[in-house]
Amino acid sequence: MPEPFLLLDFDGVVCDTERAALLAWQDLYDRLDVPLTTGTRAGMLGNSAGARVALDDLATRLGRPVGDHEWAWQRQRRATRCAAAPARPGVERLLRTAEAAAIVSSSPAAWVEEHLRRLGLRRHFAFLVTGDDTDRHKPEPDLYLLALERAGVDADGALAVEDSPRGVRAARAAGLRCVAVPWEPAGAAALAGADAVLPSLDELDLRHYRHSEV
């Protein structure tokens, strides 16, 4: 029985950019002396429109739009933090042992390519499916359906790995088995829709997800 075609989310699964980007938003909230609430934070995670969620929240709570200089400051903080974001624990081991893998991310292709090459991981992926490939992003299933088409396998022959509720919903809507690996322990409860929630990619054994060929 072959191992599944591995379909990995990028931000928060392969690279710790999800945490880095959130910390950059926390930096701006602190700078403006506005608390970043749990609800706003949850609305940002795994969301390709997460910046708009934060900007709208700040505009409401400040009583004015975020200024151009404040937005530029946040973007610089994000760039600085993400440029130093490491690969998630267990990623390199998993990719060395996987028979086939691809990226399925709502982020732009240039962003994903940049960080994969920085981390020396690009060679491990057969292809990338990104937010540039479809108008509908996670939690819609479009990105995963496109990945299955490109991989030439059906949903039973693949395994998605996600870190956010939106990503889990997208994978499940595409009919995929999905393992969730939250980058913060507090996020585990929100990922109950996954087939398994693991503390680290080091715990993911692809042999448990082998499928029978028809």
Side-chain angles (χ1 to χ4, degrees):
M1 293 188 293
E3 290 182 0
F5 199 112
L6 197 57
L7 301 177
L8 294 164
D9 179 43
F10 178 71
D11 297 291
V13 170
V14 172
C15 186
D16 217 5
T17 42
E18 189 79 64
R19 186 198 315 269
L22 185 63
L23 286 172
W25 278 110
Q26 184 67 67
D27 293 338
L28 180 60
Y29 273 76
D30 291 345
R31 183 181 175 92
L32 297 173
D33 198 26
V34 176
L36 176 55
T37 66
T38 301
T40 298
R41 197 170 181 275
M44 295 164 65
L45 295 180
N47 187 354
S48 58
R52 176 48 52 194
V53 171
L55 290 171
D56 288 347
D57 176 60
L58 283 169
T60 297
R61 296 168 71 190
L62 291 170
R64 62 169 178 81
V66 171
D68 289 344
H69 66 290
E70 294 161 339
W71 174 229
W73 184 88
Q74 192 278 338
R75 299 299 287 175
Q76 183 57 52
R77 291 292 293 170
R78 179 175 182 266
T80 299
R81 286 188 176 277
C82 288
R88 288 290 310 281
V91 165
E92 295 188 58
R93 177 204 62 82
L94 181 63
L95 292 174
R96 284 196 303 269
T97 59
E99 293 181 1
I103 290 288
V104 182
S105 171
S106 293
S107 293
W111 170 264
V112 178
E113 288 275 10
E114 173 190 352
H115 289 287
L116 285 177
R117 296 189 187 284
R118 174 177 65 84
L119 296 169
L121 299 177
R122 180 62 181 88
R123 70 187 185 279
H124 293 291
F125 296 99
F127 58 84
L128 312 180
V129 175
T130 72
D132 296 339
D133 292 314
T134 177
D135 291 333
R136 298 205 312 169
H137 298 169
K138 301 172 187 178
E140 302 300 330
D142 302 44
L143 290 165
Y144 276 115
L145 293 173
L146 180 56
L148 290 171
E149 180 181 338
R150 290 186 182 176
V153 299
D154 60 23
D156 289 339
L159 176 69
V161 183
E162 283 285 351
D163 69 309
S164 72
R166 284 174 171 268
V168 171
R169 292 202 302 273
R172 300 297 288 177
L176 284 157
R177 295 170 295 171
C178 182
V179 171
V181 185
W183 47 267
E184 56 178 356
L191 299 169
D195 292 276
V197 180
L198 303 178
S200 166
L201 288 172
D202 282 321
E203 305 296 320
L204 177 54
D205 186 344
L206 294 178
R207 292 174 298 179
H208 296 161
Y209 297 92
R210 287 174 175 169
H211 63 290
S212 299
E213 291 183 312
V214 178

